[in-house]
Amino acid sequence: MTGAPPAAADTGALVPVIVEGAADATAAEVVRLGGVVDQQLGVIGGLRARVPAARLATLAAVDGVRAVTPDGELVSLDQEWGDDDTHEDEQASSATGRWEADHDLGSTHSIAKATGAENVWSQNDPDNGRQKLTGHGVGIALIDTGVTPVPGLDGAGKVVNGPDLSLDSQAENTRYLDGYGHGTHMAGIIAGRDAAMPVGAENDKQYFVGMAPDARIVNVKAGAADGAVDVSQVIAGIDWVVTNRASHDIRVLNLSYGTESTQSALLDPLAHAVENAWRAGIVVVVAAGNDGESGPQPLTMPAIDPYVIAVGSSDHRGSDNRDQHVVGAWTNSGTDARRPDVLAPGKSVVSLRVPGSSADVGHPEGLVTGDAAGRLFRGSGTSQSAAVVSGAAALLLQQDPGLTPDQVKGVLRANADRLRADGSPVQGAGVLDVKGAMEQVKDGRVPSYAQQHPRSTGTGSLDAARGGGFIADPDAGIPLTGERDIFGLPWHAATWAADSSAGTAWSGGTWRGTAWAGDTWVDGAWPAVPRTSASWTGIAWSDREWSRMRWRADEWSRMRWRDDDWSRMRWRSDHWSASGWGVAEAR
């Protein structure tokens, strides 16, 4: 142990905490300090305890302790990626030693059953009686950290690669692939399908299956191997989706990303971009944010935009009785002016794992007990909930391709189920019921649901859209700030906003006058182009050794791919490479 021991145990008020690491040594120290050990937490090698407030620093100094944080009814999401405090792992594997999807409330099998997707899959496509309603013909754009073709996402045509706009794009061994583990997790929830699964066996628990198993994922990579991304890259991705929507049949855009921009959605460029996608006929599904345990929080940008579908999480609390479910405590509450539209399951969701990814290495508690193949991983958050809703939207659009985004949003809200155990306004319209929504669509009873909100101009600040988080050059230490994109080019808000509204922001592989990708789709992907211009640092991109570059995000309090409350997390990738990139905080 480091640090001086206390002279005597403090008998004052005890503070409930979660301690990560050094469980045995910590347990002894808790008792010595006058505290109480309540529970061993094997998944993190730690424990839950109550400790005198004055002794927290002493406890944190025990050798091997990684973190000591306040505890509540739920384990804070920055503690565990999987957040499996209802012991779904143990229940799903206790009978046979093998993980059984039908005994795990976080499995996509259970989620499909709970939301009614399993019922929808058995219904016939009205335009093709040989097909079922499993997402056929619907392209779902995923702007995220890439998609790795792991089993379940490796079928022919399952994933097509749009442009890689990330900081990994210049190296062949990282291009399009998910070095972080987030995008693949989302893709599995949305449209995963085991290649060996026979047609019609979607509800067979032995196979992995997402919400819309026959939909196609259009992979638009924006986040690097540690999730590092600038808002200009995300906006470019949205614009690309709008420009190329017809060639890839894109009807849904999943955006499990948000910033803490405080400018109005009427001005914010990110809000303007998603509104343009919406008006172009694309259903935009956005995660509401995961900061709810910190107190009342507005929705993140662009979920706060009133046009899109903002998705919060429901928490099953270990029961398959939906009357027991509540709003996930991590969900951003929003305000009276803007709440989440709907909730969807987001607690300890089991989807596909990317071995060796940042999430995989940094969060071993996300591994699934009894998963002999080692292909599964847990994640909790509104990201997962948004992915569930994106898949549900694809099912509705297969049934009726003529539905507008406003109608999809309206019918999902109209058929959502109110939580009986939780009257919180954070639930919005309630929990996703895709079976009920499909019944309304099939009956031809869908009103216009035309939204009449004021439209964003997009003429606000790009720098404000970053919400206070900036990627920074690892060598020069220069953060990307101000009204400029990742190439350091000036941001002319009015010009960009007009082009984005017209759907002409991209021309071939060029966005805003700079080549970001190849001009055409070749062999299942939009090829990358060498970046010969300088970045915002003034250093030429061509001078980097991209095959060895690794990107690091040191401060995730404002730059996140919305699965965790990253305010206390510190990611380190120095053991991967001597060079890394970071996220700099505004001072």
Side-chain angles (χ1 to χ4, degrees):
M1 184 179 75
T2 60
D10 191 325
T11 58
L14 300 181
V15 177
V17 294
I18 295 293
V19 184
E20 286 189 51
D24 292 340
T26 302
E29 187 69 2
V30 166
V31 173
R32 193 180 75 82
L33 294 173
V36 178
V37 176
D38 293 318
Q39 182 182 3
Q40 293 284 335
L41 300 173
V43 71
I44 59 172
L47 49 85
R48 177 180 281 115
R50 286 166 288 159
V51 182
R55 303 306 188 195
L56 292 177
T58 302
L59 186 63
V62 172
D63 285 342
V65 168
R66 298 188 298 274
V68 177
T69 55
D71 182 33
E73 291 185 7
L74 296 174
V75 178
S76 182
L77 286 178
D78 61 356
Q79 304 299 312
E80 298 183 54
W81 226 73
D83 191 33
D84 185 23
D85 60 0
T86 59
H87 311 292
E88 301 304 309
D89 260 0
E90 296 172 17
Q91 296 177 43
S93 60
S94 60
T96 65
R98 299 186 307 274
W99 181 77
E100 301 286 348
D102 58 338
H103 290 108
D104 191 319
L105 295 175
S107 71
T108 53
H109 174 88
S110 295
I111 290 172
K113 182 177 180 180
T115 60
E118 200 173 78
N119 176 275
V120 171
W121 295 338
S122 66
Q123 301 175 34
N124 291 327
D125 185 324
D127 296 324
N128 185 343
R130 296 188 301 275
Q131 293 180 341
K132 299 296 185 180
L133 293 178
T134 51
H136 287 283
V138 180
I140 303 174
L142 178 63
I143 300 178
D144 214 289
T145 59
V147 178
T148 297
V150 295
L153 291 170
D154 56 351
K158 168 55 65 180
V159 178
V160 297
N161 289 319
D164 186 336
L165 309 176
S166 77
L167 301 171
D168 294 335
S169 65
Q170 300 299 290
E172 291 185 7
N173 63 329
T174 57
R175 190 176 303 140
Y176 311 122
L177 302 178
D178 183 12
Y180 184 49
H182 186 275
T184 303
H185 207 259
M186 300 304 107
I189 296 168
I190 295 168
R193 182 187 184 99
D194 276 348
M197 183 174 68
V199 174
E202 288 81 9
N203 61 355
D204 189 330
K205 67 177 183 178
Q206 70 176 305
Y207 300 109
F208 181 86
V209 62
M211 287 289 290
D214 287 310
R216 173 181 291 177
I217 296 291
V218 180
N219 172 27
V220 181
K221 182 178 176 181
D226 62 359
V229 65
D230 183 61
V231 72
S232 64
Q233 294 163 283
V234 177
I235 292 171
I238 298 169
D239 281 348
W240 183 90
V241 168
V242 172
T243 300
N244 294 277
R245 64 191 184 281
S247 58
H248 296 289
D249 299 315
I250 298 172
R251 296 299 312 278
V252 182
L253 167 58
N254 187 91
L255 194 58
S256 293
Y257 165 85
T259 76
E260 293 181 2
S261 171
T262 58
Q263 66 186 330
S264 168
L266 294 174
L267 297 173
D268 195 282
L270 187 55
H272 188 68
V274 295
E275 284 189 24
N276 289 334
W278 192 268
R279 283 190 285 275
I282 299 169
V283 178
V284 183
V285 183
V286 186
N290 297 324
D291 300 316
E293 289 177 306
S294 300
Q297 300 286 338
L299 304 189
T300 54
M301 186 69 70
I304 200 169
D305 188 281
Y307 280 96
V308 302
I309 302 177
V311 184
S313 293
S314 61
D315 180 355
H316 54 67
R317 298 201 296 180
S319 172
D320 61 1
N321 182 353
R322 293 187 73 170
D323 289 347
Q324 304 296 318
H325 298 179
V326 297
V327 176
W330 56 89
T331 300
N332 282 29
S333 62
T335 64
D336 288 341
R338 179 61 169 143
R339 302 285 188 187
D341 290 299
V342 294
L343 305 180
K347 175 65 177 293
S348 198
V349 178
V350 177
S351 187
L352 298 174
R353 171 189 176 220
V354 181
S357 63
S358 294
D360 184 52
V361 171
H363 288 276
E365 74 279 359
L367 297 174
V368 175
T369 302
D371 170 28
R375 58 185 300 223
L376 303 175
F377 199 73
R378 291 188 184 277
S380 293
T382 59
S383 285
Q384 281 76 9
S385 302
V388 171
V389 173
S390 289
L395 300 179
L396 299 181
L397 288 164
Q398 183 188 351
Q399 168 65 31
D400 185 355
L403 292 174
T404 67
D406 283 352
Q407 288 177 306
V408 172
K409 178 178 180 178
V411 77
L412 288 176
R413 285 180 52 86
N415 290 278
D417 299 324
R418 300 291 296 177
L419 291 170
R420 295 188 179 184
D422 190 339
S424 169
V426 180
Q427 69 181 289
V431 182
L432 175 70
D433 181 353
V434 68
K435 176 179 178 288
M438 183 62 76
E439 289 173 354
Q440 183 178 357
V441 171
K442 293 186 75 170
D443 288 347
R445 297 181 288 107
V446 182
S448 66
Y449 289 119
Q451 300 186 97
Q452 301 294 331
H453 307 293
R455 293 187 175 189
S456 171
T457 66
T459 56
S461 166
L462 181 69
D463 201 48
R466 294 183 174 112
F470 312 101
I471 56 176
D473 186 295
D475 299 323
I478 300 173
L480 172 52
T481 61
E483 303 304 308
R484 52 181 180 162
D485 65 18
I486 62 168
F487 291 102
L489 297 176
W491 180 262
H492 300 294
T495 301
W496 166 78
D499 290 343
S500 181
S501 294
T504 59
W506 279 85
S507 177
T510 299
W511 187 65
R512 299 182 61 248
T514 301
W516 283 51
D519 288 338
T520 58
W521 190 55
V522 178
D523 296 330
W526 282 74
V529 296
R531 296 180 177 175
T532 58
S533 60
S535 72
W536 70 92
T537 65
I539 301 172
W541 291 66
S542 57
D543 290 343
R544 303 288 187 183
E545 291 188 51
W546 293 97
S547 63
R548 297 192 303 108
M549 288 297 287
R550 295 295 184 271
W551 304 81
R552 185 180 69 230
D554 286 339
E555 175 53 78
W556 289 97
S557 64
R558 292 182 177 86
M559 188 66 64
R560 66 199 75 178
W561 290 91
R562 320 301 306 180
D563 273 312
D564 297 294
D565 174 1
W566 294 97
S567 61
R568 290 188 293 274
M569 292 298 292
R570 296 295 185 272
W571 288 89
R572 290 289 186 268
S573 60
D574 295 0
H575 62 288
W576 297 337
S577 169
S579 183
W581 289 71
V583 171
E585 280 295 320
R587 295 289 188 261

